[in-house]
């Protein structure tokens, strides 16, 4: 039976979209994530929540507005009851945008020019992001004292969100303090009404724990637009009667297992080392070979073929390397060139592995994940059970194996425990109804 989606989300980056979808699923909403705005305006999505993943965080503000409005129109055609603009829990943006301009454009579209009211709340206490008296804390320190002050694209040097947002929006920005939030949903809703009567269009809302998120969530019932990090998603599903079945159900997993890793972060290096130390079969991609014209894709797939035929467990193909080796490669090839070369090679290897029968695929690395998802021709992902915080299994369709689901887990660099790869496949096996890898 088709369900009309209740919540339509617009996420300003790819892994942030998955993070939001993961929180929605864990709160009981069946969730589908789309890669960009789907071309087909008429195909209805069968889920409680839809997350449209954009890559609009650091592009020029006017382009971010155009993309976000296209996403809004598509979500409205799906019949969603509430729209959620999702940004980073460290409020990543520049004085020129994009959080303010996108919020203004969405409010204008939903309520009329200069009209309407919404909140801004990047709090995600489970991830050490809290907001108090309008100031954003990362762990024990203000945002402006955290590593975010050195971010290459969006340095955050002011923790006062009212001030930061006011610099980006035409609307007046106000604040709902934690003392009000602590009094419960009705007090919060009353404060929204009071602020709106004073001419405020966007209210930064304090939240220091999950109890605050739940109270705020109740107060957001019926608000056409919510803007937030992924934390607020914890409090919204209680406003709707979603069906009782588990929201993280995916089709049974089949086929062969593989890991493709292009992340060189500390956590991923430890995960690759752990996998190898446990005797897992691994193929290391050397970027200098790719640059020299060696058929690395062919070599990797020839190496994997007999192992996949045996079906004894996951194979790992990785460009993952320690910092000094990455620096040496970058010195020879250039930073961007090395990255693009490796991403292109790994994504072709991932496509080849799927053509060779892999139906359970873990990808490590944010940029690498984007490249792989593109190479597989994925347009939609159904979100399933969580492996580690922020990393769920998903099920996708790929033109490379029409009619068969491929289970994909996209792990951003520093996520996941050291035994993440083994844990991921064990988690999938444990899901009711999954078939064991054929032997
Ligand atoms: P993370 O999530 O850890 O940041 P990404 O996939 O986003 O991982 O980024 C890693 C980047 O490093 C990618 O562009 C990838 O192609 C590149 N890369 C991977 N391995 C190497 C290597 N050995 N030498 C140089 N660059 C590499």
């Amino acid at each position: 039976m088709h369900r009309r989606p209740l919540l339509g989300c617009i996420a300003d980056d790819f892994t942030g979209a998955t993070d939001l979808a993961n929180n929605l699923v864990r709160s009981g909403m069946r969730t589908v994530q789309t890669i960009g705005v789907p071309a087909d305006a008429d195909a209805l999505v069968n889920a409680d929540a839809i997350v449209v993943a954009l890559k609009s965080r650091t592009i020029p503000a006017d382009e971010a507005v155009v993309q976000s409005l296209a996403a809004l129109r598509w979500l409205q055609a799906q019949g969603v009851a509430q729209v959620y603009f999702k940004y980073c829990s460290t409020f990543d943006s520049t004085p020129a945008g994009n959080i303010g301009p996108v919020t203004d454009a969405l409010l204008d579209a939903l309520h009329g020019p200069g009209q309407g009211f919404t909140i801004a709340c990047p709090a995600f206490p489970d991830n050490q992001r809290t907001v108090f008296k309008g100031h954003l804390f990362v762990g024990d320190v203000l945002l402006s004292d955290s590593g975010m002050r050195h971010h290459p694209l969006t340095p955050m040097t002011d923790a006062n969100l009212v001030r930061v947002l006011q610099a980006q929006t035409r609307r007046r920005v106000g604040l709902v303090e934690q003392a009000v939030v602590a009094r419960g949903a009705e007090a919060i809703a009353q404060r929204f009404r009071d602020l709106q009567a004073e001419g405020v269009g966007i209210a930064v809302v304090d939240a220091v724990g999950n109890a605050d998120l739940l109270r705020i969530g109740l107060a957001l019932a019926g608000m056409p637009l919510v803007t937030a990090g992924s934390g607020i998603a914890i409090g919204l599903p209680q406003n709707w009667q979603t069906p009782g079945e588990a929201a993280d159900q995916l089709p049974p997993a089949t086929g062969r297992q593989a890991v493709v890793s292009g992340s060189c972060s500390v956590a991923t290096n430890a995960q690759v080392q752990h996998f190898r130390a446990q005797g897992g079969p691994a193929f290391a991609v050397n970027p200098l070979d790719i640059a020299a014209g060696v058929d690395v894709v062919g070599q990797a797939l020839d190496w994997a073929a007999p192992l996949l035929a045996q079906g004894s467990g996951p194979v790992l193909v990785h460009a993952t390397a320690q910092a000094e080796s990455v620096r040496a490669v970058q010195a020879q090839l250039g930073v961007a060139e090395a990255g693009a070369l490796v991403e292109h090679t790994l994504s072709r290897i991932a496509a080849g592995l799927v053509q060779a029968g892999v139906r359970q695929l873990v990808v490590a690395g944010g940029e690498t994940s984007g490249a792989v998802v593109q190479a597989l021709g994925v347009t939609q992902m159904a979100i399933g059970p969580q492996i580690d915080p922020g990393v769920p299994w998903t099920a996708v369709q790929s033109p490379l194996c029409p009619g068969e689901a491929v289970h994909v887990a996209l792990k951003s660099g520093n996520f996941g425990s050291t035994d993440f790869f083994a844990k991921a496949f064990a988690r999938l096996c444990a899901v009711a109804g999954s078939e064991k890898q054929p032997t």
Side-chain angles (χ1 to χ4, degrees):
M1 194 188 71
H2 180 75
R3 290 192 212 130
R4 182 166 163 265
L6 299 160
L7 184 65
C9 310
I10 303 166
D12 71 352
D13 93 332
F14 195 85
T15 41
T18 311
D19 175 16
L20 171 62
N22 187 51
N23 277 353
L24 290 169
V25 165
R26 284 161 61 74
S27 305
M29 297 185 92
R30 278 196 332 148
T31 304
V32 163
Q33 180 176 325
T34 69
I35 312 302
V37 182
D40 187 347
D42 299 325
L44 292 179
V45 172
N46 190 10
D48 303 315
I50 311 173
V51 182
V52 177
L54 300 180
K55 219 173 173 318
S56 56
R57 182 171 296 167
T58 53
I59 63 178
D62 51 351
E63 286 173 35
V65 164
V66 168
Q67 289 187 18
S68 304
L69 288 175
L72 173 68
R73 279 191 294 276
W74 184 81
L75 289 168
Q76 286 176 315
Q78 295 286 323
V80 300
Q82 188 169 45
V83 175
Y84 189 133
F85 169 39
K86 190 288 181 183
Y87 38 74
C88 189
S89 63
T90 42
F91 216 68
D92 299 12
S93 51
T94 65
N98 292 339
I99 295 175
V102 170
T103 302
D104 277 336
L106 294 173
L107 279 175
D108 288 351
L110 286 163
H111 297 273
Q115 302 295 304
F117 180 86
T118 188
I119 65 153
C121 183
F124 190 4
D126 280 349
N127 247 353
Q128 311 301 316
R129 313 286 195 258
T130 53
V131 181
F132 188 67
K133 293 199 181 287
H135 288 67
L136 178 55
F137 289 81
V138 176
D140 296 331
V141 301
L142 285 168
L143 174 69
S144 43
D145 291 326
S146 76
M148 280 304 296
R149 69 188 189 280
H150 299 307
H151 192 282
L153 301 175
T154 52
M156 300 302 290
T157 53
D158 186 358
N160 181 332
L161 295 182
V162 174
R163 205 160 46 203
V164 169
L165 187 54
Q166 192 62 78
Q168 301 180 21
T169 171
R170 288 180 272 108
R171 286 175 167 78
R172 238 183 92 198
V173 180
L175 174 64
V176 181
E177 291 203 38
Q178 207 271 334
V180 175
V181 173
R183 284 174 28 224
E186 187 36 49
I188 300 167
Q190 184 58 49
R191 185 85 180 108
F192 289 163
R193 289 190 287 274
D194 292 346
L195 285 171
Q196 199 172 2
E198 291 167 21
V200 167
I202 310 174
V204 171
V205 185
D206 281 355
V208 298
N210 284 349
D212 288 340
L213 296 180
L214 293 172
R215 295 184 195 109
I216 296 166
L218 281 176
L220 295 173
M223 188 179 282
L225 175 70
V226 171
T227 89
S230 65
I232 282 290
I234 293 166
L236 289 181
Q238 61 186 324
N239 293 329
W240 292 295
Q241 294 255 303
T242 48
E245 85 210 39
D248 63 1
Q249 273 182 2
L250 294 181
T254 62
R256 307 302 185 191
Q257 303 170 329
V259 181
V260 172
S261 177
S263 159
C264 297
S265 65
V266 174
T268 309
N269 264 294
Q271 288 154 353
V272 165
Q273 264 171 20
H274 180 82
F275 182 88
R276 297 188 83 126
Q278 299 296 108
F283 181 98
V285 168
N286 180 349
L288 296 179
D289 285 349
I290 311 172
V294 175
D295 178 16
V296 174
V297 175
Q299 283 183 351
L301 294 175
D302 287 347
W303 166 84
L307 293 162
L308 293 174
Q310 283 167 26
S312 50
V315 297
L316 165 67
V317 178
H318 68 91
T320 304
Q322 302 288 345
E324 59 277 21
S325 135
V326 173
R327 269 196 299 273
V329 166
Q330 289 173 336
Q332 280 205 38
L333 304 180
V335 175
E337 291 77 2
L341 208 59
V342 172
E343 282 167 39
H344 181 65
T345 300
L346 290 182
S347 64
R348 284 174 57 214
I349 291 171
L353 289 171
V354 169
Q355 281 165 326
V358 167
R359 297 291 178 272
Q360 304 174 37
L361 179 65
V362 173
V363 187
E367 295 300 325
T368 309
S369 291
V372 167
V373 161
Q374 241 173 3
L376 298 188
V378 170
T379 57
Q380 271 192 23
M381 320 175 72
I383 308 296
Q386 174 173 287
I387 305 161
D388 266 334
V391 197
W393 272 108
T394 73
V396 306
Q397 297 286 333
S398 166
L400 300 178
C401 53
E404 289 184 54
V406 184
H407 287 73
V408 178
L410 305 178
K411 186 195 83 73
S412 85
N414 269 319
F415 282 8
S417 57
T418 303
D419 61 347
F420 180 86
F421 299 150
K423 189 197 265 182
F425 295 109
R427 182 85 181 90
L428 202 51
C429 266
V431 176
S434 285
E435 292 168 19
K436 285 225 161 55
Q437 175 144 277
T439 50

